[in-house]
Amino acid sequence: MIKLDKENSLAKLNGANIHNYLDKIEARDQGFYKIVDNDVSEILDFAKSVEGKYEDIVVLGIGGSSLGTICLRQSLTHLHESIELHVLDNIDPQYMAQLSDVLDFEKTLFIVISKSGGTPETLSQYFYFREKCDNFVFITGPTGLLRETGEKEGIKMFEVPENVGGRFSVLTVVGLLPAALIGIDIKKLLEGAQEMRDKFLSEDLEENMCYQIAQMQHQHGGEGRNMTVMMPYSQRLIRFADWYRQLLAESIGKSKDVGLTPINALGVTDQHSQSQLYMDGPDDKFFIFIKVENLGPEVLIPGDEVYYLKGVSFNKLMHIEQKGTTDALTHNKKPNITLNVPEVNEHNLGALFMLFEGATAFLGEFYGINAFDQPGVELSKKFTKELLTRPA
Amino acid sequence: MIKLDKENSLAKLNGANIHNYLDKIEARDQGFYKIVDNDVSEILDFAKSVEGKYEDIVVLGIGGSSLGTICLRQSLTHLHESIELHVLDNIDPQYMAQLSDVLDFEKTLFIVISKSGGTPETLSQYFYFREKCDNFVFITGPTGLLRETGEKEGIKMFEVPENVGGRFSVLTVVGLLPAALIGIDIKKLLEGAQEMRDKFLSEDLEENMCYQIAQMQHQHGGEGRNMTVMMPYSQRLIRFADWYRQLLAESIGKSKDVGLTPINALGVTDQHSQSQLYMDGPDDKFFIFIKVENLGPEVLIPGDEVYYLKGVSFNKLMHIEQKGTTDALTHNKKPNITLNVPEVNEHNLGALFMLFEGATAFLGEFYGINAFDQPGVELSKKFTKELLTRPA
């Protein structure tokens, strides 16, 4: 079970209003915390029906259609699976050409993901690859260009629930279908999420970690700590911090007075890149560490040239360096919390997704904003369309 | 030639004091801008002597010993080179085991990089792999444990110049040796760097882009914009922003009043992840975009279902989306500049490294701090050693 160590949080927690805030979230009619009860048999049936058929799976998607899947892949699969999962989340022609070069299109399945069905980057990629390949599946909303095209072409389609936004969609078919295709146990993902969802709905402060984390972020935000650093000490979780980056930025970045900037970091790696700033720099950050108790079989560091490494394992060194870092931050009065995760597996990753989705929902209500829209991206989309259609 | 578009910078530039600041940098006796004149024949000779011998190169290094190499690999090599370059920049035992599983140790060369010769993570990795493999090269300073071990074991060693800090070392043997081994033209890297070095030393404001960028960052920092977002529109440059993250964070993050937080982003990908925050959120960021004029052969987007994509190439779409984003930021009064890079090649990447190293050196002088040390990481190192040697 995931536990929260908040000893160094420098925040004052108060659960008197959990009930009110839960009511406010409920009133927004968002489905992210209900999806854990959804039926996944259509996904599992499809995965079974294509078993052994493909060597490469390519997700065409961007933002909320890609970040969850990238995290699932990094966290839960070994470097060299028998099926390789690619996520094409950019339109750089060199990047697309590189991928094209290595694919056998007979043995490749493309999963095209766009909730609106009109994401120009994703549509462009689809137009490009449909000239090379015949194997497509669409994940999209009930209407839109992708839906129409799929109907016309007779392409297998899965539907994104309407009331779940892209950045909250990792535990819908958006993340679950690619995951199932590379052998991830998606039922366990949902079980873990369900366990955390029950805590999210709890009015008991000690149990409701979502509420606690949101309240800490909100308090520190009010005291000028306008950045949240997420730093897992696990190579497997490096992309979890990327996934959270979108969730926090898009959900809370809403006005000149409301916005926390997410910072992704990785232990121990970024101790050698960001620690100087974190330790000595301005007091403008709140730190969330993720410690993984079981980092796999113990691997001893051989040799005795360095006295303090004698008899130490890499596992222990990871843990000790994490503690050295949080102790030093605490010594320097920089607020930090640590999530203790027993190990990186489906169950715990499902719980982590739900933990931060729930925390973000509370945070939106604390700020009195709608955490589920993204009006700010419309202007650049408008400019882009105008530039594209302007006579040369 | 790299050009700076500063039309939307919202900064006032003044070059009256360039001379003074150059003198101050000179007085610190730092070698980063002199290395472009160094002789690289030892590196090239070594690369030639091992040609065809190895299938995998593994760099053991962290922070300044890895970030430049990761950037060089991502920017200048194709996805599937005949020699694969791995950079092991973490000690997570699962990550190390994954890499071990895929290596043929007979055909693998390890490059162990630690300037001090005492980096515990890198030494631990070396102790681990020397039990499995016989092929090692060391890159280290004139003294330290790695130097001593190399002498005892008769291992080929290259020396890091003493007055070049880790985060400024990409254009020394630290980055150049791995680069040369995978076929990158390191002379062209240095030529590009040299061109920019001459601009860095110029007292003409218009020519000195390093000075201009530093002055903008300093002004905006003084106006509460304490974050610098670097957002290249090129998949190849995604790791350049990571490299810069260390350079800015460690060099400038020095006290409660002095520190800019670097944010790495990627166009167009992060438009779908961070734009909402950048557009509508607090005015606390200064944006540096990197536009690559030549993104390779034009790749047309086929199909005519989307009117505004008809006849458009992916290349053009990348450029237009970048302009749509900077126009929208400008409309929202968020200061931004764009570096126009003709293409991603050795020459221009060398220039980009030097550009930001020079800018960071000026920035340190503007703040009146030493940009070349990192005292803040000592405390966590001390705590880590104490924790490791404490009786259980």
Side-chain angles (χ1 to χ4, degrees):
Chain A
M1 207 169 61
I2 295 170
K3 284 184 186 159
L4 173 61
D5 175 353
K6 49 185 192 275
E7 201 185 337
N8 308 320
S9 73
L10 303 179
K12 286 198 180 67
L13 296 178
N14 176 344
N17 285 318
I18 294 183
H19 187 78
N20 290 348
Y21 286 112
L22 279 170
D23 283 352
K24 287 182 185 176
I25 293 170
E26 173 84 25
R28 295 203 188 264
D29 191 28
Q30 289 295 315
F32 76 89
Y33 58 96
K34 293 167 190 157
I35 52 180
V36 294
D37 305 314
N38 285 1
D39 182 11
V40 292
S41 54
E42 190 191 0
I43 296 170
L44 293 173
D45 288 350
F46 179 80
K48 202 162 182 194
S49 75
V50 300
E51 217 174 272
K53 209 169 158 191
Y54 301 112
E55 289 175 359
D56 292 273
I57 309 282
V58 182
V59 169
L60 306 181
I62 195 164
S65 300
S66 63
L67 287 161
T69 297
I70 291 170
C71 170
L72 286 164
R73 177 184 61 185
Q74 174 72 19
S75 303
L76 298 176
T77 65
H78 189 281
L79 203 60
H80 293 261
E81 287 295 304
S82 57
I83 300 183
E84 201 159 349
L85 173 64
H86 313 265
V87 181
L88 204 55
D89 60 350
N90 205 353
I91 53 166
D92 187 323
Q94 291 177 326
Y95 180 52
M96 307 226 323
Q98 276 177 11
L99 182 60
S100 277
D101 285 355
V102 300
L103 293 175
D104 174 352
F105 286 112
E106 298 273 312
K107 292 181 177 165
T108 299
L109 175 68
F110 283 85
I111 306 176
V112 187
I113 310 179
S114 166
K115 194 189 167 191
S116 71
T119 313
E121 295 89 350
T122 306
L123 285 172
S124 304
Q125 292 174 330
Y126 166 62
F127 296 156
Y128 177 75
F129 284 108
R130 76 176 169 190
E131 303 205 328
K132 299 172 186 288
C133 185
D134 294 319
N135 312 317
F136 287 94
V137 168
F138 290 173
I139 301 177
T140 188
T143 59
L145 184 58
L146 207 56
R147 172 68 55 184
E148 291 160 29
T149 307
E151 276 164 5
K152 212 165 59 192
E153 309 274 338
I155 289 170
K156 167 76 182 166
M157 289 191 277
F158 293 86
E159 189 164 330
V160 192
E162 250 190 302
N163 60 347
V164 180
R167 60 187 175 271
F168 288 87
S169 72
V170 57
L171 295 173
T172 71
V173 62
V174 169
L176 296 181
L177 180 64
L181 289 172
I182 57 168
I184 291 172
D185 188 334
I186 62 173
K187 283 193 171 171
K188 285 194 180 151
L189 269 174
L190 291 179
E191 278 167 24
Q194 195 163 29
E195 192 180 288
M196 188 60 74
R197 188 272 313 265
D198 295 343
K199 291 179 184 169
F200 162 66
L201 293 176
S202 167
E203 296 180 27
D204 173 359
L205 177 68
E206 260 319 297
E207 194 165 74
N208 198 326
M209 281 193 281
C210 303
Y211 195 85
Q212 293 179 47
I213 290 177
Q215 202 170 70
M216 294 179 213
Q217 286 179 290
H218 186 241
Q219 276 180 28
H220 286 302
E223 291 165 10
R225 295 184 195 95
N226 56 342
M227 299 176 228
T228 296
V229 177
M230 178 180 279
M231 190 162 177
Y233 272 67
S234 157
Q235 196 72 24
R236 293 196 170 183
L237 292 179
I238 178 173
R239 301 295 160 218
F240 185 77
D242 286 355
W243 169 83
Y244 180 59
R245 219 165 80 102
Q246 180 193 22
L247 186 68
L248 182 62
E250 286 196 342
S251 301
I252 306 301
K254 290 294 156 66
S255 77
K256 73 179 178 52
D257 302 315
V258 179
L260 297 177
T261 298
I263 313 268
N264 52 323
L266 176 70
V268 304
T269 308
D270 283 322
Q271 290 179 197
H272 294 261
S273 150
Q274 304 300 302
S275 272
Q276 168 62 39
L277 173 67
Y278 297 167
M279 295 295 165
D280 281 358
D283 183 16
D284 52 12
K285 296 175 181 68
F286 171 60
F287 296 87
I288 300 175
F289 290 89
I290 304 179
K291 176 185 177 181
V292 175
E293 297 290 347
N294 179 0
L295 288 166
E298 293 275 318
V299 180
L300 211 72
I301 300 169
D304 54 10
E305 290 103 317
V306 181
Y307 74 95
Y308 60 85
L309 294 175
K310 221 183 319 192
V312 173
S313 66
F314 286 99
N315 312 56
K316 185 175 175 188
L317 186 57
M318 282 288 277
H319 289 157
I320 296 275
E321 291 210 29
Q322 191 252 333
K323 179 127 178 63
T325 299
T326 54
D327 283 358
L329 281 172
T330 302
H331 179 271
N332 290 357
K333 302 205 167 45
K334 306 287 167 79
N336 65 87
I337 59 174
T338 299
L339 283 163
N340 285 293
V341 178
E343 67 178 317
V344 179
N345 58 23
E346 282 93 341
H347 185 93
N348 292 330
L349 196 64
L352 281 172
F353 283 130
M354 188 58 70
L355 171 58
F356 284 97
E357 291 182 5
T360 302
F362 279 121
L363 194 51
E365 300 311 327
F366 293 164
Y367 280 114
I369 51 125
N370 181 359
F372 304 99
D373 65 358
Q374 52 282 333
V377 297
E378 293 309 318
L379 189 65
S380 61
K381 284 187 188 172
K382 180 172 164 278
F383 285 167
T384 295
K385 278 188 199 175
E386 283 173 7
L387 287 163
L388 280 170
T389 52
R390 200 167 58 180
Chain B
M1 208 169 63
I2 296 170
K3 284 183 184 159
L4 173 62
D5 175 354
K6 50 184 191 275
E7 201 184 335
N8 307 320
S9 74
L10 303 178
K12 286 198 180 68
L13 296 178
N14 176 343
N17 286 318
I18 294 182
H19 186 78
N20 289 349
Y21 287 112
L22 280 170
D23 283 351
K24 287 182 184 174
I25 294 169
E26 173 83 25
R28 294 203 188 266
D29 191 29
Q30 289 295 316
F32 77 89
Y33 59 95
K34 294 168 192 159
I35 51 180
V36 295
D37 306 314
N38 285 2
D39 181 14
V40 292
S41 55
E42 189 190 0
I43 297 170
L44 293 173
D45 288 348
F46 179 79
K48 202 161 179 195
S49 75
V50 300
E51 218 174 270
K53 209 169 158 193
Y54 300 113
E55 289 174 0
D56 293 273
I57 310 282
V58 181
V59 169
L60 305 181
I62 195 164
S65 300
S66 64
L67 287 161
T69 297
I70 291 171
C71 171
L72 286 163
R73 176 183 62 183
Q74 173 72 17
S75 302
L76 298 177
T77 64
H78 189 282
L79 203 60
H80 294 262
E81 288 295 305
S82 58
I83 300 183
E84 200 158 351
L85 173 64
H86 313 265
V87 182
L88 203 56
D89 61 350
N90 205 352
I91 53 166
D92 187 324
Q94 291 177 326
Y95 179 52
M96 307 225 324
Q98 277 176 10
L99 182 61
S100 277
D101 285 355
V102 300
L103 292 176
D104 174 352
F105 287 111
E106 297 274 311
K107 293 180 177 164
T108 299
L109 175 67
F110 283 83
I111 306 176
V112 187
I113 310 179
S114 167
K115 195 188 167 192
S116 70
T119 314
E121 295 89 348
T122 306
L123 285 173
S124 303
Q125 291 174 332
Y126 166 63
F127 296 156
Y128 178 74
F129 284 108
R130 76 177 168 188
E131 304 208 326
K132 300 173 186 290
C133 184
D134 294 319
N135 312 316
F136 287 93
V137 169
F138 291 171
I139 301 177
T140 189
T143 58
L145 184 57
L146 207 55
R147 171 70 54 185
E148 290 159 30
T149 308
E151 276 164 6
K152 209 165 56 191
E153 310 273 339
I155 289 170
K156 167 77 182 163
M157 289 191 279
F158 294 86
E159 188 165 330
V160 192
E162 250 191 303
N163 59 346
V164 180
R167 58 187 177 271
F168 288 86
S169 72
V170 58
L171 295 173
T172 70
V173 62
V174 170
L176 297 180
L177 180 65
L181 289 172
I182 57 168
I184 291 172
D185 187 335
I186 62 173
K187 284 193 170 170
K188 286 194 179 149
L189 269 173
L190 291 179
E191 277 166 25
Q194 195 163 28
E195 193 181 285
M196 188 60 74
R197 189 273 313 265
D198 294 343
K199 292 179 182 170
F200 162 66
L201 294 176
S202 167
E203 295 180 25
D204 173 359
L205 177 67
E206 261 319 298
E207 195 166 74
N208 198 327
M209 281 193 281
C210 302
Y211 195 84
Q212 292 180 46
I213 290 177
Q215 203 169 68
M216 293 179 212
Q217 286 178 291
H218 187 240
Q219 275 180 28
H220 286 302
E223 293 166 8
R225 296 186 194 94
N226 55 341
M227 300 177 227
T228 296
V229 177
M230 175 178 282
M231 189 163 178
Y233 271 67
S234 157
Q235 196 72 24
R236 292 195 171 183
L237 293 178
I238 178 172
R239 301 293 160 221
F240 185 77
D242 286 356
W243 169 82
Y244 180 58
R245 220 164 79 102
Q246 180 194 22
L247 185 68
L248 182 61
E250 285 195 344
S251 302
I252 305 301
K254 291 291 157 71
S255 77
K256 73 179 178 51
D257 301 314
V258 179
L260 296 177
T261 298
I263 314 268
N264 53 324
L266 176 70
V268 305
T269 308
D270 283 322
Q271 291 179 199
H272 295 261
S273 151
Q274 303 301 302
S275 272
Q276 168 63 38
L277 172 67
Y278 297 167
M279 295 296 166
D280 282 359
D283 183 15
D284 52 13
K285 297 176 181 69
F286 171 60
F287 296 88
I288 300 175
F289 290 91
I290 304 179
K291 177 186 178 181
V292 175
E293 297 291 346
N294 180 359
L295 289 166
E298 292 275 319
V299 180
L300 211 71
I301 300 169
D304 54 9
E305 290 104 317
V306 181
Y307 75 94
Y308 60 84
L309 294 176
K310 222 185 314 195
V312 174
S313 66
F314 285 99
N315 312 55
K316 185 175 175 188
L317 186 57
M318 283 287 278
H319 289 156
I320 296 274
E321 291 210 30
Q322 191 252 332
K323 176 125 178 64
T325 299
T326 53
D327 283 359
L329 281 173
T330 303
H331 179 272
N332 289 358
K333 302 205 166 47
K334 306 287 167 80
N336 65 88
I337 58 173
T338 300
L339 283 164
N340 286 292
V341 178
E343 66 178 318
V344 179
N345 58 23
E346 281 92 343
H347 185 94
N348 292 329
L349 196 64
L352 280 173
F353 284 131
M354 188 57 71
L355 172 57
F356 285 97
E357 290 181 6
T360 302
F362 278 121
L363 195 51
E365 300 310 328
F366 293 164
Y367 280 112
I369 51 123
N370 180 0
F372 305 99
D373 66 357
Q374 52 281 333
V377 297
E378 293 309 318
L379 190 64
S380 60
K381 284 186 187 171
K382 179 172 164 276
F383 285 168
T384 295
K385 277 188 200 174
E386 283 173 7
L387 287 163
L388 279 170
T389 50
R390 200 166 58 180

